[in-house]
């Protein structure tokens, strides 16, 4: 009986998502790549590569930012995921910035439990949300 209990605990440890699983580059539907990294206990994500055919900001700058002084900053290298905390296997409590419209939303990120090379990014505005799928870039 003790062996079964220990085996079960080992399985839980192996199958649960760890914070380090999120670190790396993730390609979002459409082709953009976000690099997720940590700074202390918080997670952030910066634009590593833009889609080949972006929806807006054709010049590669943050044209729609509500702060006019930031409209000339380049999108590559810019943080769009901010202040996320790892809790219960997912990243939450932070925000995502949408450079296509200059708006910031609450966000949650989680790894597919069947495939750790796939994650989902869900942006919230009140009770409405939009979910994006991303695949790990190796």
């Amino acid at each position: 009986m003790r062996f079964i209990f220990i085996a079960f605990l080992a399985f839980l440890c192996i199958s649960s998502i760890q914070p380090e699983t999120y670190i790396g580059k993730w390609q979002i539907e459409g082709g953009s790549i976000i690099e997720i990294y940590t700074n202390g206990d918080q997670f952030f994500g910066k634009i590593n590569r833009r889609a080949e055919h972006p929806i807006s900001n054709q010049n590669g700058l943050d044209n729609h930012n509500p702060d006019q002084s930031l409209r000339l900053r380049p999108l590559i290298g810019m943080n769009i995921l901010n202040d996320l905390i790892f809790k219960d296997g997912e990243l939450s409590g932070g925000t995502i910035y949408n450079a296509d419209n200059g708006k910031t939303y609450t966000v949650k990120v989680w790894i597919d439990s069947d495939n750790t090379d796939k994650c989902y990014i869900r942006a919230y505005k009140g009770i409405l949300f939009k979910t994006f799928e991303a695949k790990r870039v190796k």
Side-chain angles (χ1 to χ4, degrees):
M1 182 68 173
R2 186 181 302 179
F3 174 75
I4 293 171
F5 179 72
I6 292 172
F8 177 72
L9 285 178
F11 174 76
L12 285 179
C13 291
I14 292 170
S15 66
S16 64
I17 303 296
Q18 300 299 311
E20 301 80 30
T21 310
Y22 287 93
I23 296 171
K25 295 178 183 176
W26 298 87
Q27 185 168 17
I28 299 174
E29 303 163 357
S32 294
I33 295 177
I34 296 175
E35 183 176 353
I36 296 179
Y37 65 96
T38 59
N39 187 357
D41 291 339
Q42 294 185 321
F43 287 76
F44 298 86
K46 61 184 173 181
I47 298 173
N48 185 269
R49 186 180 85 195
R50 296 188 65 217
E52 192 171 315
H53 302 288
I55 295 170
S56 67
N57 303 330
Q58 305 298 327
N59 61 0
L61 301 176
D62 191 11
N63 302 321
H64 301 289
N65 196 302
D67 182 343
Q68 289 190 0
S69 68
L70 297 176
R71 290 185 179 172
L72 294 177
R73 72 177 170 173
L75 296 173
I76 301 294
M78 182 178 77
N79 275 352
I80 61 167
L81 290 172
N82 293 291
D83 306 320
L84 291 158
I85 302 293
F86 180 80
K87 183 178 177 186
D88 299 328
E90 63 186 29
L91 303 179
S92 61
T95 60
I96 185 168
Y97 174 72
N98 182 346
D100 291 332
N101 63 16
K103 294 182 181 178
T104 300
Y105 304 94
T106 304
V107 70
K108 175 172 83 169
V109 181
W110 71 96
I111 301 275
D112 186 314
S113 59
D114 295 327
N115 180 358
T116 57
D117 288 332
K118 186 190 304 182
C119 79
Y120 300 95
I121 302 167
R122 180 171 288 170
Y124 294 89
K125 181 176 182 178
I127 61 169
L128 302 175
F129 62 85
K130 183 170 184 177
T131 305
F132 301 90
E133 184 178 300
K135 294 183 179 170
R136 187 181 305 277
V137 176
K138 296 187 178 197

